[in-house]
Amino acid sequence: MRFLRISLFAVALAAIAACGTTKGTSARSSENNRRQEKAEITSIAYSRIIVDDRYDAYRDSSAEKFLKPYTDSIATLLAEKVGEMERSLDNERPESEMGNLVADIFVWMADDVVGDTVDFAVVNLGGLRTEFERGPVTFGNVLRVAPFENFFVVLTLKGEYVQQLFQQIASRGGEGVSSEVRLVVDSDDSRQLVAATIGSKPVSPERQYRIATIDYLAQGGDDMSAFSHKTDYVEPTSRSLIMREVIASYFRYMSEQGHKVDARREGRISLQK
């Protein structure tokens, strides 16, 4: 009973203290709010803190021991050989070998893996952060090419908006398009779209075209606002549809078939002088 009385007394004291603290906190909060209403920024000063190997001189062995199982696991994942490149590729505009490769991979993914046949594919060259080089390709190489959490998606776009999309691609100086597409762009500063075909046929304004791309572009990223008119949009449902996983899957598939991976310029996007 004595213990119970002491406990109840302690609880009562805590409650009284809490009430006092609440009142005090409320008063201080009101005072802080009044000060903030009067405050204004008069200047901003900053400096860069360079993070480089100078900090490696002070290694924390306990932290390294704790992290080692994770770093070893990641190193094994990145070292996995997924395929091999026939030669090194470039990522230049208006037509990019890297853009050609990845756009064609998207068509392959849609047709052969997802089972949703598409008319063509579009990728943004800015999303490809480096190039594949001749020789073995690891998952780490794929990660460096496609480091963002962009998901492979499929959607439908009416022909009139496909034409707008192609003009937006022309205005950006070119992006990655699959082998079904041919664009001719005026070489002057206007970057006007001169001609566009899909499967050797002019774009039909009333036709519905099925397109493979990434969710970032499907939401209008990189000035591709034509995608805002999309319909029949297939949302990504699995992390296996992250862009880098799609690319890695293609390399593994080609390796299983005994083939190296390659891509070349084919006149998909050309300039008219």
Side-chain angles (χ1 to χ4, degrees):
M1 290 295 293
R2 182 185 179 191
F3 175 76
L4 178 60
R5 285 196 297 271
I6 291 173
S7 298
L8 290 174
F9 180 68
V11 170
L13 285 178
I16 293 170
C19 290
T21 301
T22 301
K23 291 178 181 178
T25 301
S26 177
R28 287 195 298 273
S29 178
S30 298
E31 179 62 24
N32 287 338
N33 288 339
R34 285 194 293 272
R35 289 177 179 174
Q36 288 174 2
E37 289 175 359
K38 297 178 182 179
E40 61 180 38
I41 297 174
T42 57
S43 64
I44 298 175
Y46 67 92
S47 62
R48 296 177 61 191
I49 299 176
I50 306 299
V51 179
D52 56 21
D53 59 2
R54 76 184 72 179
Y55 297 101
D56 292 340
Y58 307 96
R59 305 181 76 90
D60 187 327
S61 58
S62 62
E64 289 182 337
K65 182 179 179 180
F66 173 79
L67 292 172
K68 191 175 188 307
Y70 305 101
T71 56
D72 288 351
S73 177
I74 292 172
T76 300
L77 174 67
L78 298 182
E80 178 202 357
K81 180 183 175 181
V82 295
E84 191 163 348
M85 286 298 304
E86 181 71 37
R87 61 194 187 86
S88 300
L89 304 185
D90 68 39
N91 193 23
E92 300 176 355
R93 299 178 193 270
E95 182 180 2
S96 155
E97 293 172 339
M98 284 292 296
N100 287 359
L101 171 62
V102 177
D104 287 347
I105 289 175
F106 277 17
V107 172
W108 167 82
M109 186 69 180
D111 293 352
D112 293 358
V113 181
V114 179
D116 192 340
T117 301
V118 297
D119 295 290
F120 65 95
V122 175
V123 298
N124 58 323
L125 301 184
L128 307 176
R129 307 307 290 180
T130 188
E131 301 83 30
F132 287 123
E133 297 183 357
R134 181 177 180 272
V137 174
T138 66
F139 187 77
N141 297 139
V142 176
L143 178 61
R144 283 188 282 275
V145 167
F148 304 120
E149 298 295 289
N150 293 324
F151 280 82
F152 169 89
V153 297
V154 179
L155 54 85
T156 296
L157 211 57
K158 192 176 179 181
E160 63 176 303
Y161 302 122
V162 170
Q163 195 73 18
Q164 287 183 19
L165 174 66
F166 288 160
Q167 176 58 66
Q168 289 163 1
I169 290 174
S171 297
R172 291 180 57 79
E175 297 288 0
V177 294
S178 59
S179 62
E180 299 81 9
V181 176
R182 293 292 184 274
L183 305 180
V184 180
V185 181
D186 200 319
S187 62
D188 63 21
D189 292 339
S190 68
R191 292 180 175 176
Q192 287 298 306
L193 182 67
V194 177
T197 61
I198 302 171
S200 301
K201 297 179 180 179
V203 178
S204 173
E206 297 302 317
R207 182 184 164 185
Q208 302 291 330
Y209 290 90
R210 202 76 174 132
I211 307 168
T213 187
I214 56 173
D215 55 346
Y216 169 71
L217 297 183
Q219 303 305 325
D222 277 2
D223 303 320
M224 298 190 201
S225 58
F227 278 127
S228 64
H229 301 282
K230 63 185 176 295
T231 59
D232 300 322
Y233 179 54
V234 179
E235 295 273 5
T237 58
S238 169
R239 289 192 65 81
S240 65
L241 295 178
I242 293 177
M243 185 175 178
R244 58 178 168 270
E245 295 290 351
V246 172
I247 296 171
S249 293
Y250 179 78
F251 272 90
R252 293 187 188 104
Y253 168 78
M254 291 293 284
S255 181
E256 290 169 359
Q257 303 301 311
H259 301 308
K260 295 181 181 180
V261 175
D262 195 10
R264 299 178 184 273
R265 290 192 189 87
E266 303 172 345
R268 300 183 189 185
I269 303 179
S270 58
L271 300 179
Q272 177 176 280
K273 298 180 180 180

